[in-house]
Amino acid sequence: MPALTKPQTGPSGQGLSLEPQIKLWLEKDGLLVLSDYRVQLLRHVAQTGSLAEAAQRMGLSYRRAWGKVREIERNLGLVLVESEAGGAGGGGSRLTPAGERLVSRYERFLRVMKRDLSREFRDLFGGRAL
Amino acid sequence: MPALTKPQTGPSGQGLSLEPQIKLWLEKDGLLVLSDYRVQLLRHVAQTGSLAEAAQRMGLSYRRAWGKVREIERNLGLVLVESEAGGAGGGGSRLTPAGERLVSRYERFLRVMKRDLSREFRDLFGGRAL
């Protein structure tokens, strides 16, 4: 068996010091409808109470952020963000209950998949030489 | 709770007809070292017994395929492909035992992660309305 030319042993005992990486997204009819990026935008709306501020945090124009939200809503057939008119602060935006549930489920999905990723990788590659 | 404007029910009973998607790869020190694409190249070497033919199947020049293989080997510190010189057919290439193990483990990794993906998605999104 070919040996490692430069044997390396990481803290986890993996001979190859490899790190598994994962990217997740959801499609509908072959079309991207939800990704980490889009969920992050929704999460910022929830955290800031403002689509303008959420847009800023994502480095997006307000118009583009608004378009993204409407696109996600249209693809899912769900209203995810609602805006309040008026007031001194000019109103704000927040997630609807469906929006809250979507963000929370997606984030949980990401979390459990990362846990699975670590476990499966360890089972298959951990500690065993190639 | 906002209702689906166009309720859809797929064969799996999912209200939203969403399909989870996944992409996996392995990094070493923040550098991509193995992906579906690279493993596919190695798989073609195993199947065809020829790097030239593997390159062709991937739509790569021989030179580029060779460079890819050498890059993977260098990053992993392992010899994965060995070439036989001469003969009427001009020699061929095949995976080393370490190469065989790497391809087989990576493909199994992909398989179990897709299985996990379906299960976790069903648990979190299946059958429950948002």
Side-chain angles (χ1 to χ4, degrees), chain A residues 26-29 31-35 38-39 42 68-80 98-99 101-103 106, chain B residues 2-8 15-19 121 125 130:
Chain A
L26 304 182
E27 291 186 356
K28 185 178 181 176
D29 303 326
L31 206 78
L32 171 69
V33 297
L34 216 58
S35 60
R38 281 152 208 244
V39 168
L42 296 173
K68 277 275 165 225
V69 169
R70 285 290 161 265
E71 187 187 83
I72 303 167
E73 290 184 329
R74 201 169 49 242
N75 285 331
L76 291 176
L78 288 168
V79 178
L80 303 172
R101 279 189 292 271
L102 184 70
V103 168
Y106 188 90
Chain B
L4 288 170
T5 53
K6 284 190 179 181
Q8 293 191 352
L16 293 164
S17 320
L18 295 175
E19 277 289 334
F121 181 74
F125 289 88
L130 282 162

Side-chain angles (χ1 to χ4, degrees), chain B residues 52-126:
Chain B
E53 211 162 316
Q56 200 174 32
R57 288 197 182 183
M58 299 290 289
L60 295 173
S61 69
Y62 178 80
R63 185 193 174 83
R64 193 155 160 69
W66 185 248
K68 278 274 166 227
V69 168
R70 286 290 162 264
E71 185 187 83
I72 303 167
E73 291 184 328
R74 203 169 48 241
N75 286 332
L76 291 175
L78 289 167
V79 179
L80 304 172
V81 173
E82 58 192 2
S83 295
E84 290 154 6
S93 295
R94 62 178 179 195
L95 297 188
T96 61
E100 296 272 8
R101 281 190 291 270
L102 185 69
V103 168
S104 138
R105 281 193 210 171
Y106 188 91
E107 289 182 343
R108 178 155 174 72
F109 182 46
L110 196 54
R111 215 155 50 232
V112 297
M113 285 304 299
K114 282 185 177 169
R115 182 200 61 196
D116 292 349
L117 179 77
S118 295
R119 191 190 59 230
E120 305 292 12
F121 181 74
R122 201 173 50 237
D123 285 356
L124 279 163
F125 289 88

Side-chain angles (χ1 to χ4, degrees), chain A residues 2-3 9 24 31 36 38 40 48 52 56 59 62-64 69-70 77 83 90 95 98 107 110 116-118:
Chain A
T9 305
L24 295 176
L31 206 78
D36 296 9
R38 281 152 208 244
Q40 206 182 353
T48 62
Q56 200 174 31
Y62 179 80
R63 184 192 177 83
R64 193 155 160 69
V69 169
R70 285 290 161 265
S83 296
L95 298 188
E107 289 181 344
L110 196 53
D116 292 349
L117 179 78
S118 295

Side-chain angles (χ1 to χ4, degrees), chain B residues 29-75:
Chain B
D29 304 326
L31 207 78
L32 171 69
V33 297
L34 214 59
S35 60
D36 296 9
Y37 184 79
R38 282 153 207 245
V39 168
Q40 206 181 352
L41 173 61
L42 296 173
R43 165 59 65 207
H44 284 316
V45 172
Q47 284 172 345
T48 63
S50 154
L51 184 57
E53 211 162 316
Q56 200 174 32
R57 288 197 182 183
M58 299 290 289
L60 295 173
S61 69
Y62 178 80
R63 185 193 174 83
R64 193 155 160 69
W66 185 248
K68 278 274 166 227
V69 168
R70 286 290 162 264
E71 185 187 83
I72 303 167
E73 291 184 328
R74 203 169 48 241
N75 286 332

